[in-house]
Amino acid sequence: MNSTQPETEDSEDGTRRSIGARRNPASQEAILDAAEAVLREGGIAGFSIEAVARRARAGKPTIYRWWPHRTALMLDVYRRFKNTKGFPDTGTLRGDLVSLLDNHLLGFWNNSLCGTVYRAIVAEAQTDREAAKVLIAYQADRKAYSARIVERAKARGEVPEDTNSALVIDLVVSYAWHQLLLGQLDAALAEAPAVVDLILRGVAGYKG
Amino acid sequence: MNSTQPETEDSEDGTRRSIGARRNPASQEAILDAAEAVLREGGIAGFSIEAVARRARAGKPTIYRWWPHRTALMLDVYRRFKNTKGFPDTGTLRGDLVSLLDNHLLGFWNNSLCGTVYRAIVAEAQTDREAAKVLIAYQADRKAYSARIVERAKARGEVPEDTNSALVIDLVVSYAWHQLLLGQLDAALAEAPAVVDLILRGVAGYKG
């Protein structure tokens, strides 16, 4: 990730906070508030660094110094929503993965600005190299974090030590992305437990 | 799908051909050739109905009559590439799914114009309702087609009759999309057999 990006650290409750050594926290929050307001009022189409600067009564250079890219700013607004959700800890791997899929991914995106914002971020990453970098770094970070679900299951003896945590999480997240990007979140929410069971148990009765 | 879209039918070898009742096949092919040439030369950024019309020496209204939307035309160019690939039939479910994933999805997209074009189509579908409709219809059609892989495995007794074919295919396709959209096709190709094994067999040693 670009060195002008915010550095973050995990806090006890699983949320992420900005260390923000290079930022004035008050102004940073004010700009994120303004960015969120611009998104709520005008949607993705009305979102620009100019519009956020106007709303925050800040100079454009100030915003660009902290967020070198429109997508980076959108992703920080998105991340702030995400942080209000506690991390799954149901006591079982199946419960945690279902919670990750239906509560933290599909349900989080469904019928909310978050889904629209995330779709726009993914879209921008397809044609803009800087947007792609920001998204790839965010994804790697989130998936490493979510892999703790599988690591906890290893510690409980639910799955063997050599289980590929990253791949299990990748399949859950991939399914969620695909449904988001096709606008099929409602149908996907109904499938969430079946998806997790397929990943954990495979195809029942498979003879291969 | 919009009634002005091409109707298609499956042919014996698993490719798709246009019925094209409303189209003049020669002109249609000429326009698709022109569209492909425009994409090859100028990439996504240079792709427009105007540019294709210029290249094909056709009127814009002619193109719009057949392809009401830029994305629909891009998708038909993409579909034409896709049709040159035979459908997997290795004799086993595992073999067919690995072939679907590494040959027909990840490998098809990797290091080629096809990946770039498909990423652009997915991106446009995130902010444009008409593009989304075209993509959703295409996806539903492709997945129903790919589900034949699982149906053949049912006929061979490899999996039980009540296996959720759609969900198995959905997980394979979702994984491929996610990797494409993150620009991680090379890493994903190496994982393809592990992904299929996870879907078919689940997490080895899972106690849940």
Side-chain angles (χ1 to χ4, degrees):
Chain A
M1 191 177 274
N2 192 302
S3 65
T4 55
Q5 289 297 306
E7 296 171 71
T8 53
E9 60 182 352
D10 294 327
S11 63
E12 288 302 309
D13 61 353
T15 62
R16 299 181 67 79
R17 296 207 183 91
S18 181
I19 298 170
R22 288 187 197 78
R23 294 185 184 181
N24 172 333
S27 300
Q28 180 187 338
E29 281 305 306
I31 288 165
L32 286 172
D33 288 344
E36 184 180 328
V38 168
L39 279 168
R40 285 199 186 283
E41 286 164 23
I44 299 298
F47 189 77
S48 65
I49 298 283
E50 286 80 354
V52 174
R54 227 170 14 244
R55 178 88 185 203
R57 297 179 191 198
K60 276 188 351 185
T62 306
I63 300 181
Y64 276 118
R65 196 164 55 235
W66 291 334
W67 292 276
H69 198 278
R70 176 182 183 271
T71 311
L73 179 53
M74 268 168 59
L75 195 58
D76 267 3
V77 174
Y78 177 81
R79 200 195 295 262
R80 210 163 58 146
F81 284 121
K82 197 96 185 171
N83 285 353
T84 64
K85 288 237 171 213
F87 198 67
D89 193 0
T90 65
T92 69
L93 177 56
R94 182 178 187 279
D96 283 0
L97 290 178
V98 171
S99 171
L100 174 68
L101 181 56
D102 79 5
N103 184 24
H104 287 256
L105 296 167
L106 303 171
F108 175 65
W109 293 326
N110 202 26
N111 299 318
S112 83
L113 186 64
C114 302
T116 310
V117 169
Y118 206 52
R119 291 179 76 160
I121 293 168
V122 172
E124 286 179 13
Q126 301 318 306
T127 48
D128 183 311
R129 200 174 293 265
E130 288 306 311
K133 274 193 212 160
V134 169
L135 178 62
I136 288 166
Y138 173 72
Q139 265 294 303
D141 180 78
R142 285 305 300 183
K143 282 194 206 156
Y145 195 75
S146 298
R148 295 189 191 181
I149 285 174
V150 186
E151 296 306 315
R152 286 194 314 234
K154 288 182 187 176
R156 287 191 302 261
E158 268 188 274
V159 292
E161 273 301 322
D162 63 358
T163 300
N164 188 338
S165 316
L167 196 55
V168 169
I169 296 300
D170 228 20
L171 275 187
V172 172
V173 174
S174 295
Y175 176 80
W177 266 47
H178 190 59
Q179 304 302 322
L180 171 71
L181 299 174
L182 289 175
Q184 299 173 342
L185 292 174
D186 279 323
L189 277 161
E191 289 275 29
V195 169
V196 170
D197 284 335
L198 186 54
I199 295 169
L200 288 178
R201 302 173 204 273
V203 173
Y206 168 61
K207 296 186 190 79
Chain B
M1 192 177 272
N2 191 303
S3 66
T4 56
Q5 289 298 303
E7 295 170 73
T8 54
E9 60 183 350
D10 294 326
S11 63
E12 288 304 310
D13 62 353
T15 62
R16 298 181 68 80
R17 295 207 184 92
S18 181
I19 298 173
R22 288 187 197 79
R23 295 186 183 180
N24 173 332
S27 301
Q28 180 187 337
E29 281 305 308
I31 289 167
L32 287 172
D33 287 345
E36 184 180 328
V38 168
L39 279 168
R40 285 200 187 281
E41 285 164 23
I44 298 299
F47 188 78
S48 65
I49 297 283
E50 285 80 355
V52 174
R54 225 168 18 242
R55 178 88 187 200
R57 296 175 193 201
K60 276 188 352 185
T62 305
I63 300 182
Y64 276 118
R65 197 164 55 234
W66 290 333
W67 292 277
H69 197 279
R70 176 182 183 271
T71 311
L73 179 53
M74 269 168 60
L75 194 58
D76 266 4
V77 174
Y78 177 81
R79 199 194 297 260
R80 211 162 58 144
F81 284 121
K82 197 94 184 171
N83 285 353
T84 64
K85 288 238 171 212
F87 197 67
D89 193 359
T90 64
T92 68
L93 178 57
R94 183 178 186 279
D96 283 359
L97 290 178
V98 170
S99 171
L100 174 68
L101 181 55
D102 79 5
N103 184 24
H104 288 255
L105 296 168
L106 303 171
F108 175 65
W109 293 326
N110 202 27
N111 298 320
S112 84
L113 186 64
C114 301
T116 309
V117 169
Y118 205 52
R119 290 179 77 160
I121 293 169
V122 173
E124 286 180 12
Q126 301 318 306
T127 48
D128 182 313
R129 200 176 294 266
E130 288 307 311
K133 272 193 213 162
V134 169
L135 179 61
I136 288 166
Y138 174 72
Q139 266 294 303
D141 180 78
R142 285 306 299 184
K143 283 194 207 156
Y145 195 73
S146 298
R148 295 188 192 181
I149 286 173
V150 186
E151 296 306 316
R152 285 193 315 232
K154 287 182 187 177
R156 288 191 302 261
E158 268 189 272
V159 293
E161 273 301 322
D162 63 357
T163 300
N164 188 338
S165 315
L167 197 54
V168 169
I169 296 300
D170 228 19
L171 276 186
V172 172
V173 174
S174 295
Y175 176 80
W177 267 46
H178 190 59
Q179 304 301 322
L180 171 71
L181 298 173
L182 289 175
Q184 299 173 341
L185 291 175
D186 279 324
L189 277 161
E191 289 276 28
V195 169
V196 169
D197 283 335
L198 187 53
I199 294 169
L200 288 178
R201 302 174 205 271
V203 173
Y206 169 60
K207 298 186 187 77

